[in-house]
Amino acid sequence: MERTRLTRAELEANFADLHPAYSRDEAVAEASRCLFCFDAPCMRACPTHIDVPRFIRQILHDNPLGAAETIFSENVLGGSCARACPTEVLCEGACVDKTLQGGPVHIGRLQRYATDAAQAQDLWFFEPGTDTGHRVAIVGSGPAGLACAHELRRLGHAADVFEARDVAGGLNTLGIAAYKISTELALKEIEPIRAMGAEIHLNSPVDANRLAGLRRDYDAVFVGVGLGSTRQLPIPGEELEGVVEALDFIFPTHTGPFSECYVGRHTVVIGAGNTAVDCATQAVRLGAEQVTMVYRRTDAEMSAFSYEYELAKQDGIVFEWLAQPVEFVADDDGDLRALRCRRLRLQGQGRRARLEEIADSDFEIPCDLAVQALGQAPVADELLGGIEGVTVVSGRLVVDPTTGATGAPGLFAGGDCTSLGAEIVDAVQEGKVAARGIDEYLKGGS
Amino acid sequence: MKTWKKPDLTSEVAGIRSPNPFWLASGPPTNSAYQVRRAFEAGWGGAVWKTLGEPIVNVASRYGAIDYDGRKIAGLNNIELITDRPLEENLAEIRQIKREFPHHAVVVSLMVESSREAWHDIVKHTQDTGCDGLELNFGCPHGMSERGMGSAVGQVPEYTERITNWVMEAAEIPVLVKLTPNVTDVRYIGRAARNGGADGLSLINTINSIVGVDLDTLAPRPQVDGRGSHGGYCGPAVKPIALNMVQQVASDPEIQLPVSGIGGVQAWQDAVEFLLLGAGNVQVCTAAMHYGFRIVETLISGLEGWMSDKGFLSLQEVVGRSVQTVGDWADLDLSYKVVAEIDQGECIHCGLCYIACEDGAHQSITWREVPEAEFVGGNGTSPEGARPQVSVSGGHQVVVGSGAGHVNIYEINQETCVGCNLCSLVCPVQGCISMVERDSGLPSMSWREYQEKLAKGEVEKIEPPAHV
Ligand SMILES: Cc1cc2nc3c(=O)[nH]c(=O)nc-3n(C[C@H](O)[C@H](O)[C@H](O)COP(=O)(O)OP(=O)(O)OC[C@H]3O[C@@H](n4cnc5c(N)ncnc54)[C@H](O)[C@@H]3O)c2cc1C
Ligand SMILES: Cc1cc2nc3c(=O)[nH]c(=O)nc-3n(C[C@H](O)[C@H](O)[C@H](O)COP(=O)(O)O)c2cc1C
Ligand code: SF4
Ligand code: SF4
Ligand code: SF4
């Protein structure tokens, strides 16, 4: 494990936008493919229900700022989502042009075109609602917390956000692959939320005690704490310096210059989800000579989206399927030298197939960096487990999906802590829905 | 193996022959020998030279266009006048071109002040070049009309007849009169041209228009130092207007002249429509300005293919074939019935038919939400023939047309459908909505017959529709 050896220019090129911005002519040509569907499938398939045909028609008629208003009115992180949403399984997956023309309208890229236009002018479209006198505390400044704060401000409630870290935005700022969302863009998307009057208090971790205090001092509390670090494999060698956790590998691409990021010449990534692909493609972009993804099952079962898998293949990543890590192996100096794996085979067919170890099949994958990307561990139980009325099921905080209400009065929640890990766009929607739930709750005076 | 039997495309209109029925209309593409030579080499059968007359001075800028949702130039407008090149130069070039291309049609468009001498003069000079015909520009709607020429002539039957007459006194070659569409009934002008002795008609010239306003400067487009003037409109958008006028003059018993059809031809289908409605050939301007001369290749190939397919061996078999299918509304059968039908296997669930019928027609399309699982599983709730497009990514099932857990299914209520066609026009899938004939159970009866029978008490008054 060492610092990247690539030059600044190489790094800039490697982390440049995966899909470059459209020019005006490209945007209009793409927009002209949209049929302007009735009760549009794409709009229904978008978790925040952005009126897609409307904003595309606004682009078509040279009104990108109007389009931006349409987008932001439902999704305050419209620029981030334009870049990082898995559109393949959301709006674009539903787009009827897939049948008609063999490919969907590129809704994400059009959304970016519109939101870029507004951001280039530092333009915002909404004003805070008339002051209601109600005050709401928000724990966590990730997409869920931010969306909740913005919607509360539109409704006239005061919104105080408490964020443990020294930077706002949660994983939207720190966790998304840098070639999808730049740190700069992620931070820029927070400005209008501040401008709407939401206070974001950084370096303000909330523990169970402080939460009780917030519940006393505020009229309602929204919890959007997300998830914790990714899980570690309990195997020998886990404590070696070259063995890291996915988020610790990703965060430096957002907290400092790329030139200070570390990478292994031979990097191994354990796991086959979207985070694992992000780690692997990041390693390639930081100059790793070889990157191997290790997964217990096969590509048929991998949880990464198809387009992420395609990207990984394009990046020349090697896949080691049906391999169970058993030990991180050190050399004589105590540095990571290899990942030892055991070969597995699938017994049976399809989803019910069982994994079986093959005797004497151990093999080593040489590596000087091993990234564990096995999914994030939940944190809600620790913070909320003791509160009367709150239900946490296997780490998942249970809420009413139509209001975001937990079972405890005045306590609402949304985002990854209630879903155990979804997308930015889901967190935004849940934050927005909860703000409306809180509004109802406050109006009800109960 | 079948071979494509190529039809004979040689064309003759008012005695002017050309190897195919595609001529360039008088305009910028026919401004010089250089261009006409390139056009003939590219395959055009004829060209009507840019209008000759007393040379004028043009302004800049000159053209404006309307784009349609991302496609450029659905319609074009111009404020250009007739040729700005010296008469002698033009005549020398025409002579040269005719020598180089003896079998192509070289027709020369003319416009001079309304005096007998002026017209005699230009006709004599022009036919001296050896050109095949003359076209009288009584149509230009801007600029020249302010000076008493162009449409100022073509809008008044008496002037049209008189000037045609003067021309015929001097002309030794066929003369076409080019009609302006900026009149209430083009047939009156056509009859005047016939009475004046014209050998044929060409139509339409451009339509009076303001193509748009610049939303930054607030001046009309095209602008000349911040001001504009009405101009002449042409291009694909004007074809339906031109087709109607061509059919009108072609079917008029008092006219009975060969017709050269102009206005919005850009695809071979457009050309075939003009021929079917009575034009002996077609002229093209805007499409050649937009894409260049080589579009004639696709025009020829499309026409040949269509004729082979239909078994037509020559243009004579095509020209005018549909003229008699157009008639008065009063003779259409009131009892004829069609209704819309959706092929559910083709439907992509865009809902455009629904909202068009709902907001713009007769509320005869219904929609219902079929849960995605049932739609994909095909358990009977989705209509027969529906074809789900399903894929999987990252463990998510992705179904085209599905959102929030359901797919919308659209169905026609044929009891209330009035058969207006609207849904089939908006449906983006070719062949998905068809209009199917239904027996109305009523004897055929036109409005005219209905009025007669009503007067004689032979039929009851037809009730207004139960469904609005
Ligand atoms: C590596 C990775 C890549 C991803 N890539 C994508 C992608 O490409 N596209 C996509 O749509 N989604 C992606 N996601 C998912 C997406 O980032 C999350 O779904 C989304 O950020 C969840 O938002 P959230 O607000 O619920 O939580 P988070 O974004 O996790 O934000 C929670 C915030 O709460 C703060 N916090 C936590 N505990 C406390 C406390 N006790 N007191 C105060 N503050 C606290 C945290 O510091 C953090 O700022 C990715 C996730 C990961 C891990
Ligand atoms: C820029 C321009 C200049 C034109 N100049 C003439 C002209 O000098 N004489 C004439 O008879 N018609 C002129 N026309 C009209 C065309 O010959 C033709 O009648 C009209 O454009 C409709 O055909 P289209 O739709 O194929 O363009 C001109 C058209 C344009 C666009
Ligand atoms: S489904 Fe596709 S075509 Fe229809 S409105 Fe959405 S983007 Fe446009
Ligand atoms: S034909 Fe007209 S009335 Fe009938 S379903 Fe279609 S749009 Fe409605
Ligand atoms: S317009 Fe055509 S494709 Fe769209 S829903 Fe109607 S029938 Fe289906």
Side-chain angles (χ1 to χ4, degrees), chain A residues 45-63:
Chain A
C46 167
T48 57
H49 305 307
I50 293 173
D51 191 338
V52 175
R54 174 179 152 143
F55 93 68
I56 293 182
R57 195 166 170 82
Q58 287 168 312
I59 291 175
L60 180 64
H61 295 162
D62 270 327
N63 182 11

Side-chain angles (χ1 to χ4, degrees), chain A residues 28 32 35-39 41 44-45 49 57 60-61 88-89 93-96 98-100 302-307 351, chain B residues 69-70 348-352 354-355 367 389 391-394 396 398-404 406-408 410 428-429:
Chain A
V28 168
S32 73
L35 303 170
F36 201 63
C37 295
F38 165 76
D39 189 30
R44 283 185 274 129
H49 305 307
R57 195 166 170 82
L60 180 64
H61 295 162
E88 176 181 278
V89 301
C95 175
V96 301
K98 273 170 77 175
T99 311
L100 188 67
M302 77 191 290
S303 62
F305 297 118
S306 311
Y307 67 92
R351 288 181 165 269
Chain B
D69 285 359
I348 61 172
H349 315 285
C350 68
L352 287 169
Y354 166 78
I355 200 63
W367 64 292
Q389 312 277 312
S391 58
V392 174
S393 170
H396 292 248
V398 181
V399 181
V400 178
S402 173
H406 62 265
V407 176
N408 290 349
Y410 298 92
V429 185

Side-chain angles (χ1 to χ4, degrees), chain B residues 340 353 356-357 361-365 412 416-424 435:
Chain B
C353 57
C357 186
H362 297 272
Q363 301 80 45
S364 296
I365 301 182
I412 309 278
T416 59
C417 167
V418 304
C420 71
N421 278 355
L422 182 63
C423 57
S424 70
M435 302 303 295

